[in-house]
Amino acid sequence: MALLVVLGLTAALQAAASSGSIDEFINAEMPASGAPGLAYAVVEDGEITSGARGEVLRGSGDPVTPDTPFLIGSISKSITAMAVMQLVEAGQVDLDAPVSRYLEVFADRPSGAITIRQLLGHTSGYSTRQGNGAHTDQSGAEDALSQHVAQIAQWTPAHQPGTVWDYSNANYQILGAVIEAVSGEDYAGYVERQILAPIGMEDSFVADGERHDGVARGHLPWFGTKRPVKDSRPNRVTAPAGGVIASADDLARYLAVMMNGQDDVISAGSKADMLRPASGASPNYGFGWSLDAESGTVFHTGTSRGVETLALFVPAERKGAVVLVNAGSGFGFGETATLRTGLSATALGLDHDGDAGGWSRKSIFLMFALLPPFFMFCAVWAWLHRDRLRAKSGFSGLVSIWLPLPMMIALAWTALYLIPALFGISIGTLYLFLPDMALMMMTTAATGLLWAVFRLGVFYSGRS
């Protein structure tokens, strides 16, 4: 599933970049990212140019090409939104109708009054954390999506619907179930027949829980390196929010359709509606697309296990770019954000200021790397100096003996709950996407608590 992170881009339009400058940028930035491979495509007035580097799987020798399918993550939301707009145009869905009209499981529930428009614009009230709660298709059944949405219907939204913008995968999983209920087809079949095929996206399909040859394998960060994801099969539950698989060239064709101003897969009017703020509570998000009014750009990122993607376009200029990378971004080290945003900005002639926060993230990574051995050293020191430790007395002595315990409890809470919560996820979900960072955070929490408890044990075990 896509661990969902929406990227804000602030850029000023300049002259279009040459393919030579794209190659130069890739040569400069790809080694630092550690990405085994990437594919990109640029579309301008319907004309597509593309390229690729690296391997589908590190060490395999199989090259990435512009036709190599990648799991595109949350860019899939825009395709789900397009499918909804088709049903709106057909008179089968009303944007301002409650979801309970289409899905009976929402009837008489706190979430039943949420509208289709609120789901599209992430103002339903479901939170990021609620949407990131499930990452596996437990049953593997064809009705797995509807089963999961039936569970979502039992949840109480974190916010009052329509009042707060909070990005949540749950919104688009519900929309996927609406598409199934209204069309009478499963989500994958509908999208492949009504959107991918008419656009000519021949190397693209929707997650069905099966392994498909030729798809770029995801690679996760692992202490400065990247290691392949063991099971990279996307599942039906996550498909509407992040489970479309597409090539760079195919996504460029999709962007061309979004910008052509014509009635085709959906009407020109519906395309324009998708690229407007969904509501007053959603000023920077339309229907499946993030909006940057200052630069006039429309974009969406995708974050899946070991794969990160970006689609960015300028509707007024009818040009856009797609970047697909088969590596998850590390934290401070082996990050892919500069590669993706910089390459797309270079392709479109946009300013790109780079990343000013890289060293702060590196510092946090190194801190969690160094704290576990430091706590182990402190435990050894406490044992070697146990007589001095046991000699402490009085109020000040007790404070110095007991103070580390609440401090380490606070550190463990920060590492295991607070920091993941800032990203709208749990420590378990963080481990799925940043296994090295999550492992160090868990180890820091454990060794810190063990040191504090061990120190108390040394103190009290030697006293009469």
Side-chain angles (χ1 to χ4, degrees), residues 98-100 103-114 126 149-157 161:
V99 66
S100 58
L103 298 175
E104 188 177 349
V105 291
F106 282 87
D108 302 321
R109 303 295 309 174
S111 54
I114 294 170
Y126 288 118
V149 169
Q151 296 176 11
I152 296 177
Q154 308 303 312
W155 304 347
T156 299

Side-chain angles (χ1 to χ4, degrees), residues 285-307:
Y285 199 91
F287 295 167
W289 288 108
S290 295
L291 314 174
D292 188 336
E294 182 178 348
S295 66
T297 58
V298 178
F299 63 95
H300 216 299
T301 58
T303 303
S304 306
R305 290 196 68 208
V307 180

Side-chain angles (χ1 to χ4, degrees), residues 259-316:
M259 294 185 288
N260 65 14
Q262 300 175 8
D263 297 340
D264 38 48
V265 181
I266 57 174
S267 69
S270 290
K271 294 173 190 177
D273 288 341
M274 290 178 67
L275 305 184
R276 296 190 185 101
S279 67
S282 179
N284 300 313
Y285 199 91
F287 295 167
W289 288 108
S290 295
L291 314 174
D292 188 336
E294 182 178 348
S295 66
T297 58
V298 178
F299 63 95
H300 216 299
T301 58
T303 303
S304 306
R305 290 196 68 208
V307 180
E308 300 202 341
T309 60
L310 171 64
L312 168 70
F313 60 105
V314 187

